Amino acid sequence: MNKHVFKSWIFSGLALVFLAVGCEQKAEKSDTPPNIVFIMSDDHAYQAISAYGHGLNETPNIDRIAKEGVIFTRSTVTNSICAPSRAVMLTGKHSFKNGKVDNVQPFNWDQDNFPKLLQAHGYQTALIGKIHLDGLPQGFDYSMVLPGQGHYYNPDFLVNGERKRIPGYVTEITTESALDWLENKRDKDKPFCMLYHQKAPHRNWQPAPKYLTLYDDTTFEPPFNYFDDYDGRGTAAKEQEMEIDGHARWGHDFKMIVDPNGDSTGFYNELKRMDSTQRANWLAEYTPKNEAMKAQNLQGKELAVWKFNRYIKDYLRTIKSVDDGVGEMLDYLDKNSLAENTIVVYTSDQGFYLGEHGWFDKRFMYEESFRTPLLIRYPKEIKPGTTNKKLVQNLDYAPTFLDYAGIPIPEEMQGESFRQLVSGKTDHWRDAVYYTYYEYPSVHMVKRHYGVATERYKLIHFYYDIDEWEMYDLEKDPHEMNSVYDDPEYKEVQEMMHEKLKEQRAKYGDSDENNQKFLKAYLEVYNK
Ligand code: CA
């Protein structure tokens, strides 16, 4: 071997070593666990996200997540009410397994939740905004939460358990605090998971100072079934107390300082919370509108349409600030080269009625409150512009996050990871989902019920002080105006759906005995 050949061997060898090291480094880098930004708003109806195509408002920033990722068109919750839904998301277990079946029962933070598991595997975790679960949150390196429902103006926060009042508007404060944690409070060498959870657009829909007059020049048409007479459905739909025209309050909801009946119990407490500038701004914008309304002396349907407009405008105004915040978050991730390796999720703790059936609020297994928005961006695995129509649920979030992070999913979690489904690697998915609701008697008076839904049909059983079944064919009746439960033409469907219900209850471990146990516990507190 001459010197020259030997030298070139050495060089090729070195080159190979460098190449190998380079590959290894590259492989290591792509194995870095993804970050998670889990954005949730409270009571954000999919009808009020423009990516869902209802034409009600524009949410360009939330839409960006759909354009650059996936939008789920049939994502549902297992229990359509705030705190129980959050407990399901954290634990990956149905309400009757995690114990938080209603807003009355305490949440047991000692059980496993996905942030705890991420934390145990080297993630840094933070919870910023609204969680609406009592007790010091477990599983977070940093928490900054609103106590209970929290306030829109000058809210108190519990910062790692310590109470502080922060001047300003809640949605903007929550966004600024989330960005501050990302920039200044985390260890930038670790993967992170941040729960960035907005209070808006929860009742009573107080807009930010800069959006008090947004939509002033617009008149919104109520949905076609705003004046629903509930014919075709059972007692539960007829006896609820969720009507915009019948049950929303002049002061609290419609922001009349002195209402048309001369009652001044209205909006005073909310005004007291504001500082003098905030209050002066608010009164300057709302007083003339309120006076103009009173001068018109509206009655009947005209008054009901005015109420719908006051409701929907305030609701959409609060969403404008939420959307702004999503834009700031996406921009931050872009500017800091975090977009590629960060999973961004946008969802709500349930759906919401925007005048459908005449209602506001949620609770029912009917579509508007059963369905919830879900949009996810993760450039490494999700193709831009993906639409997914499968029956995913909030039950699936915890196992999905763990799957993305490469952490084993605990046996007791009842949801399923939809990671492979959303990347298109499989089309295999469940054909039915299970639902339970327990909070009755209570505000809004939606009766206790449980049910099963497939892509086309839905079977619901209302129980306790009634014993009624309803069934809907969503293909023929997407707005659920007529139960076909007793229709002879649907005899076979009815049998099939009863069978599905039985399967679902067996699969998840639910029963009438469970319902009786939770009813007894609820009534003990309720009757006190
Ligand atoms: Ca909620």
Side-chain angles (χ1 to χ4, degrees), residues 42-43 82 202 349-350 362:
D42 195 339
D43 294 353
C82 305
H202 191 276
D349 56 349
Q350 7 67 209
K362 53 251 181 180

